[in-house]
Amino acid sequence: MKRVTIKDIARIAGVSYATISRALSGSREVSEQTRARILEICKQEGYRTNALARSLSCNKTNVIGLVVPDITNPFYAELALEIETSARRLNYNVMLCNSVHYEDNIGELMDFLISHQVDGIILASSHNEARACLHEYRQVIPSVLVGASVSDNDDFCVNAVSVDNRAGGRMAAEYLIGLGHQDIVYLGFRPASITHQLRFSGFQRAMQQRSLTPTVLENHESSSSLQIGYQLGKQLFAQGTSSTAIFAATDSLALGVIQAADEFNLRIPEDISLLGFDNISYAALPKITLTTIDQRKPVLAETAVKHLVSVIEHPDDDGYAHHMIRPALVERRSCCAPGRQPD
Amino acid sequence: MKRVTIKDIARIAGVSYATISRALSGSREVSEQTRARILEICKQEGYRTNALARSLSCNKTNVIGLVVPDITNPFYAELALEIETSARRLNYNVMLCNSVHYEDNIGELMDFLISHQVDGIILASSHNEARACLHEYRQVIPSVLVGASVSDNDDFCVNAVSVDNRAGGRMAAEYLIGLGHQDIVYLGFRPASITHQLRFSGFQRAMQQRSLTPTVLENHESSSSLQIGYQLGKQLFAQGTSSTAIFAATDSLALGVIQAADEFNLRIPEDISLLGFDNISYAALPKITLTTIDQRKPVLAETAVKHLVSVIEHPDDDGYAHHMIRPALVERRSCCAPGRQPD
DNA sequence: CTGTTAGCGCCTTCAA
DNA sequence: TTGAAGGCGCTAACAG
């Protein structure tokens, strides 16, 4: 398992090892023939440059750290792949970490990445502490928050990229209203999350403009899971709701609602329409076919990476920005006009 | 963004930096008071040890590379999380890479990881080339193949951990037969994959022992996707099958079959039973409730990590081993006796 | 065009 | 218990 180094190559090529370095890094200060000879030898000897040593010397690793809550969550898995793709295009590699095991001290994870000398960090999280954390680290490492909204009026200075949650909420309400629904439940509102506050406010405002009021079922957990959607769904159906449509604050919640509806023999969309948010891959599965608001992960990812790389490459200016991505409606088969069969 | 180094600490503590190094690495060769003082200073100054420099010096990174085909595939996402968990327990970090963008030259990815000085590599892949690749690299870096079977009788010397596919195939057949099925289709056999050869042979042998013969629908693509399952399903249903049960070689295929069945107004399991393989998370979703053969990812992961770490720590012995994990049946609601309602 | 030299941040003998 | 010095593999001036 002995690695062959630049020195070994130098010795067998009979040149100094600076020359090897140059030949490898594509410098023009080497004659074409020696370069060719060197490359040949490298290939034969199975030389691989030691990225650690290079980074140590250059003070640059070209890797960006990516923190997601849980890669098992399809939303984050898809986002992660998109981010990796975008990063590679800009010549960066990504080092992925799940924050599952860290929970309330993401700082520890940040420290881990920093000690591995990542050039910057993308933090994907909908938790509120996330932005406080990035704020703390803003003098230490370039970073951008992705997927979560930040408040316009607090003292946290963080770079962020997220879907326009208020617009998404509005879009959801308008779609359902447009279909003819008036008695609508907003399921899974998380009052503690800014992301969800915005989503809810957009939704509510759109309804108010038609003098409508949603029934709201709050979620006081710190995440939105299928299980919670299931519980809220059961709770709703058990009391015999009069509503004709449900807007689930996330697709995961919607999946739980589907399960609950199944148990109560409620058909979707014939008996009740269901609209989700996120457009996770599950939503497209047969028999699920969830109509939902798409976060446009590819755009989210590309914007986040470009944003981060730009702050990495301009360490001097200490401004910050929040990019908003427009959400998009994806129509499948879980919504129809009230009291009617689907088209 | 200036990092504080061991030298800075030494200067402000008024000791040599070797002392700092010792204090940090928990060596007993430092007086308790100087250590305490040093630790205090490190905290105040926000010192973070440079993992790159340390690794360079120690010739050990304590990171293992993990290659999966596509993190978006829930099977690999779950496996990856389990592997990360197991690795952390043994004090290793994992560096995750998707091989999606590399396809037929996984070697390039291996080289990338090696140049980052990972201590070892876990390659998760069902492709046959994977084991040839690991065989090539076996003198270069400790590695283990996970999830894919290797042939007993070829010249490839690779460490491997996989579910016992033959046993899994047998288990599938016996379960269906036990339910009373006789006319069964094996859907999605991939003749080019050893993993699938074994799975199929176990299945077929169990049927032969009852003088039964499966209808087999082959898949000549290099992966098993929902789309392919959908096509094979349509193909099967279009010709009006007489079979009462389908064994789909993977859960992804099964999902496609569900979609196809839906279009043909075939109910599962009332009209036809469906059994999958893998136990991906989708399988448990409402309205999917797929009965399937579980690969027991937690065990798979832990075994793979322990195996790898053991070869990392014993670079001298050049033996290799193939660990088999027993599969397990997970009963949900997609199978019942032929011609009968589910229980 | 090529060689020499001094680091990058840390660890680890060897002395004191 | 602590300090001095060499080295890990590579890059980047600075000289020739």
Side-chain angles (χ1 to χ4, degrees), chain A residues 3 48 51 102 111 115 140 282, chain B residues 3 48 51 111 115 140 282:
Chain A
R3 299 269 119 88
R48 294 177 177 84
Y102 292 82
D111 286 336
S115 72
V140 183
Y282 293 114
Chain B
R3 298 268 119 86
R48 295 176 176 85
D111 286 337
S115 72
V140 183
Y282 293 112

Side-chain angles (χ1 to χ4, degrees), chain A residues 5-6 18 21 47 49-50 53-54 57:
Chain A
T5 79
I6 218 172
S21 176
Y47 169 80
T49 125
N50 183 326
R54 182 200 299 252
S57 174

